[in-house]
């Protein structure tokens, strides 16, 4: 069975995110970025000050490795700025003899529209040994164009799929990220299989955390996953491909005394916006929030405010979960987004876990159990 690729330095690298722009060519229907605009663009001077602060305060960033994330909007809209920022990072790491000099990555999640742009390609060739790029394609044209649309309503599938061969030639083990919302549940099976046909061997796929789910969605979701499981097993696709919906280690009860970590790294990451503000995660920036005010934990002039950061460092599963979630028999693998927890909470707290995807998680567990029972039976392991 093909194993999913490990993320570079997974869990050991500090993640630092530059919000280089809030502009995007697309207006995806499920996008959590509610404040996208063409005005807020990071300047090189702001990025430079942020880098100087980070590299001069090693005690605040003790990790042996670092991932520099560049996001938007669409990050490649600012490829010239990003190229200049990355050059400054590399020179600064060298000049300071920093431990990250031989242990850093530049990471991108892109809509893929500009992937073949000459400036983007120059940047890729220049930084290839330290680069991770994921292109988001949601599956078949029908599923992709249901949500991933231009501002005029036109679908973007054709403009993205034309760049997939070049991307896979340069990053043959790259994975894509697929998002599921209520309206596109009927297209899950065919979409995952379509992505395999395009040559993408690892499909990371998840349900949106927002409360968009309707009556009957969980049953339809489970049915799609079971149909997908049948094809993967009957056609031996598991030997070459993976889909993150099927994992052996989900759907078990959890003992909070032993497994009480927070799901995400909010507070152990750092995000910087165009104004030089620091956030515990991009989901706490104002353009990511529907209902709540942004949570700023410092800025490039004054540094990180440890008192504002401290609540995030104390987050764990038990302090924000209901007793029902803590006692749930299928708790393992049930994800949450810390920013969505905050945005959906009754008050301005980060300690109230959103349970909007509860039924979807349970449906996934049932389908996951079906998948592994069938596969193990076929392989003579039971």
């Amino acid at each position: 069975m093909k194993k999913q690729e490990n993320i570079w330095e997974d869990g050991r690298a500090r993640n630092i995110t530059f919000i280089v722009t809030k502009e995007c060519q697309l207006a995806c229907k499920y996008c959590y970025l509610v404040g996208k605009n063409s005005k807020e663009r990071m300047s090189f001077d702001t990025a430079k000050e942020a880098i100087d602060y980070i590299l001069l305060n090693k005690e605040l960033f003790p990790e042996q490795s670092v991932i520099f994330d560049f996001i938007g909007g669409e990050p490649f809209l600012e490829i010239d700025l990003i190229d200049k920022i990355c050059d400054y990072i590399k020179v600064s790491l060298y000049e300071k003899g920093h431990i990250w000099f031989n242990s850093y990555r530049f990471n991108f999640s892109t809509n893929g529209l500009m992937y073949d742009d000459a400036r983007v390609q120059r940047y890729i060739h220049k930084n290839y040994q330290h680069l991770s790029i994921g292109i988001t394609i949601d599956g078949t044209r029908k599923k992709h164009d249901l949500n991933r649309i231009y501002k005029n309503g036109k679908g973007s599938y054709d403009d993205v799929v034309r760049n997939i061969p070049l991307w896979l030639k340069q990053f043959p083990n790259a994975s894509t990220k697929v998002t599921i919302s209520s309206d596109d549940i009927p297209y899950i099976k065919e979409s995952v299989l379509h992505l395999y046909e395009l040559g993408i061997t690892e499909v990371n796929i998840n349900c949106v955390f927002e409360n968009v789910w309707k009556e009957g969605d969980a049953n339809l979701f489970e049915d799609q996953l079971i149909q997908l499981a049948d094809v993967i097993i009957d056609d031996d696709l598991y030997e070459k491909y993976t889909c993150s919906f099927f994992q052996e280690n989900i759907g078990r009860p959890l003992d909070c005394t032993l497994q009480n970590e927070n799901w995400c790294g909010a507070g152990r990451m750092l995000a910087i916006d165009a104004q030089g503000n620091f956030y515990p995660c991009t989901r706490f920036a104002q353009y990511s929030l529907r209902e709540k005010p942004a949570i700023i934990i410092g800025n490039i002039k004054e540094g990180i405010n440890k008192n504002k950061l401290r609540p995030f460092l104390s987050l764990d599963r038990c302090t924000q979960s209901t007793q029902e979630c803590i006692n749930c028999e299928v708790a393992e693998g049930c994800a949450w987004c810390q920013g969505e927890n905050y945005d959906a909470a009754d008050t301005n707290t980060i300690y109230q876990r959103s349970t909007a995807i509860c039924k979807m998680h349970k449906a996934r567990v049932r389908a996951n159990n079906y998948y592994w029972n069938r596969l193990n039976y076929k392989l003579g392991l039971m």
Side-chain angles (χ1 to χ4, degrees):
M1 286 171 281
K2 181 180 182 293
K3 297 292 186 182
Q4 286 181 271
E5 297 292 331
N6 290 327
I7 300 171
W8 182 80
E9 289 291 285
D10 189 17
R12 296 182 294 274
R14 172 61 71 108
N15 187 285
I16 296 171
T17 300
F18 292 91
I19 307 172
V20 292
T21 180
K22 294 183 180 177
E23 172 68 313
C24 184
Q25 309 99 315
L26 302 182
C28 300
K29 295 178 184 177
Y30 53 53
C31 185
Y32 64 84
L33 299 176
V34 295
K36 290 189 287 190
N37 65 81
S38 60
K39 298 176 182 178
E40 295 180 76
R41 171 188 178 271
M42 182 174 284
S43 69
F44 175 70
D45 287 342
T46 296
K48 181 177 179 294
E49 281 196 65
I51 295 162
D52 290 345
Y53 171 78
I54 291 163
L55 299 187
L56 289 171
N57 287 274
K58 294 181 181 179
E59 74 281 1
L60 298 176
F61 304 92
E63 293 81 3
Q64 301 293 298
S65 305
V66 64
I67 298 171
F68 292 103
D69 242 324
F70 296 92
I71 68 166
E74 166 53 41
F76 283 147
L77 287 171
E78 295 294 341
I79 187 59
D80 294 332
L81 170 66
I82 290 169
D83 190 26
K84 193 173 180 181
I85 292 171
C86 291
D87 282 351
Y88 185 75
I89 288 172
K90 290 181 288 186
V91 170
S92 296
L93 291 175
Y94 174 76
E95 290 179 343
K96 290 177 170 57
H98 200 285
I99 194 171
W100 291 344
F101 176 67
N102 289 315
S103 193
Y104 69 90
R105 301 287 285 178
F106 298 136
N107 188 65
F108 296 82
S109 181
T110 173
N111 59 31
L113 298 176
M114 291 180 61
Y115 191 82
D116 60 347
D117 183 285
R119 296 169 301 159
V120 173
Q121 285 299 306
R122 280 196 299 271
Y123 173 85
I124 290 172
H125 290 300
K126 182 177 178 180
N127 296 283
Y128 184 76
Q129 297 300 322
H130 292 274
L131 201 56
S132 299
I133 299 179
I135 290 181
T136 299
I137 180 167
D138 260 1
T140 61
R141 177 183 284 104
K142 188 168 187 177
K143 180 187 178 325
H144 184 96
D145 286 351
L146 190 64
N147 284 308
R148 300 190 67 79
I149 57 174
Y150 287 99
K151 295 169 187 177
N152 64 5
K154 178 179 176 290
S156 63
Y157 174 86
D158 289 335
D159 295 329
V160 176
V161 78
R162 66 180 174 82
N163 283 323
I164 298 301
L166 174 60
W167 171 55
L168 291 178
K169 180 181 178 181
Q170 294 173 328
F171 300 95
N173 296 318
S175 63
T176 192
K177 182 175 67 176
V178 178
T179 300
I180 304 298
S181 60
S182 180
D183 291 342
D184 53 32
I185 292 174
Y187 313 112
I188 293 175
K189 182 198 79 171
E190 63 187 40
S191 288
V192 173
L193 297 176
H194 178 67
L195 294 173
Y196 291 166
E197 290 170 358
L198 291 177
I200 301 170
T201 60
E202 182 176 334
V203 176
N204 293 312
I205 186 166
N206 64 277
C207 297
V208 299
F209 292 103
E210 291 78 15
N211 189 15
V212 301
W213 306 106
K214 305 184 184 91
E215 189 68 32
D217 279 354
N219 290 336
L220 183 59
F221 180 52
E222 180 181 353
D223 182 62
Q224 279 289 301
L225 294 189
I226 286 175
Q227 289 185 46
L228 175 61
D230 284 337
V231 177
I232 290 174
I233 293 169
D234 291 342
D235 295 349
D236 298 330
L237 298 179
Y238 56 85
E239 295 178 349
K240 183 178 179 181
Y241 304 97
T242 63
C243 173
S244 62
F245 273 145
F246 302 126
Q247 297 181 17
E248 288 184 276
N249 62 342
I250 70 166
R252 303 185 182 98
L254 285 175
D255 183 346
C256 271
T257 62
L258 300 175
Q259 298 165 294
N260 195 28
E261 301 86 3
N262 193 26
W263 181 265
C264 76
R268 292 173 174 82
M269 303 183 286
L270 185 70
I272 306 124
D273 71 3
Q275 287 73 45
N277 292 317
F278 292 158
Y279 303 91
C281 165
T282 59
R283 289 296 300 255
F284 289 90
Q286 197 60 64
Y287 83 140
S288 298
L289 298 166
R290 304 178 306 276
E291 306 292 338
K292 299 295 196 308
I295 296 183
I296 297 171
I297 58 169
N299 57 63
I300 56 176
K301 302 295 184 184
E302 300 172 359
I304 294 173
N305 184 319
K306 293 182 181 178
N307 286 328
K308 292 182 178 179
L309 178 62
R310 190 169 291 113
F312 290 91
L313 300 180
S314 67
L315 280 166
D316 57 37
R317 179 182 298 271
C318 287
T319 55
Q320 59 187 307
S321 298
T322 64
Q323 198 61 42
E324 181 182 0
C325 289
I326 292 171
N327 296 333
C328 180
E329 293 184 352
V330 294
E332 188 163 357
C334 186
W336 63 84
C337 167
Q338 205 65 55
E340 176 58 21
N341 287 356
Y342 169 64
D343 209 15
D346 297 328
T347 63
N348 288 352
T349 180
I350 60 172
Y351 291 96
Q352 181 179 330
R353 180 174 165 186
S354 171
T355 58
I357 65 165
C358 176
K359 290 182 179 179
M360 304 301 287
H361 170 69
K362 291 176 178 177
R364 176 199 176 191
V365 168
R366 293 191 296 269
N368 187 66
N369 290 341
Y370 172 86
Y371 174 89
W372 289 104
N373 284 336
R374 266 213 67 191
L375 182 58
N376 287 332
Y377 182 80
K378 177 176 180 174
L379 297 176
L381 300 176
M382 60 180 299

